[in-house]
Structures are given as C-alpha cells and as structure tokens.
Amino acid sequence: NLLIYFGKNSIIVLAFHGRAGTILKGVYVYVLGVNYNEISMVHKFFFSLMIMFICVPVIYFLNKYFPFIIGKDRKKKLKKVIA
C-alpha cells in the first residue's frame, strides 16, 4: 500500500524531494554537526526514508486543497456538495 501511495503521488515527490533533502542535509550538517560526505550507506538509506516522510504532509496538503495544480480534478468534492 505504501508503494501504491507514493506511486500515485510520484509527481509531488519528484517536485519536492530536492527541497526536503536540502533541508534535511542542513539539519545534519549545521544542527547535528555531521559531515555528510563521511556518513555510511545505511545512514544515507535512512536519510532517503526521512525525505519520503517529509514529503507526506506536502502530498496530503496538495491533494486536499490544490488538486488542480497536479492535474487532478475536483469532481469528487462537487458531487458530494450537489448530492
């Protein structure tokens, strides 16, 4: 189910994973004091997972309030209002 969720919202992940990675890398370097070039592959894997979790609120927000930005229509909500 998780892969299906990210697959349906892959365009949002594509658009925002770079920003999320930059923010997370800033936290690693400036807050935690870690040299990002010297961390292991295991840490980079968890870094990637954290980026995906950072994208989840963005996915929720865009799907709920601005579906037209990502090419989805608002017909489902209009049917509920009319019925």
Side-chain angles (χ1 to χ4, degrees), residues 24-72:
L24 196 57
K25 194 181 291 186
V27 169
Y28 263 61
V29 172
Y30 295 112
V31 176
L32 300 176
V34 176
N35 186 356
Y36 184 75
N37 294 327
E38 296 178 0
I39 62 174
S40 68
M41 290 301 287
V42 174
H43 285 107
K44 289 184 181 183
F45 175 74
F46 287 116
F47 184 82
S48 299
L49 289 178
M50 287 188 279
I51 289 173
M52 296 303 283
F53 286 123
I54 290 171
C55 287
V56 168
V58 175
I59 291 170
Y60 175 77
F61 181 77
L62 287 177
N63 282 332
K64 183 163 178 131
Y65 298 109
F66 300 105
F68 55 90
I69 291 176
I70 53 176
K72 296 180 181 177

Side-chain angles (χ1 to χ4, degrees), residues 3-20:
L3 290 176
I4 293 170
Y5 177 76
F6 281 113
K8 288 181 179 179
N9 297 295
S10 61
I11 195 151
I12 300 173
V13 174
L14 177 67
F16 289 99
H17 82 280
R19 298 287 183 208

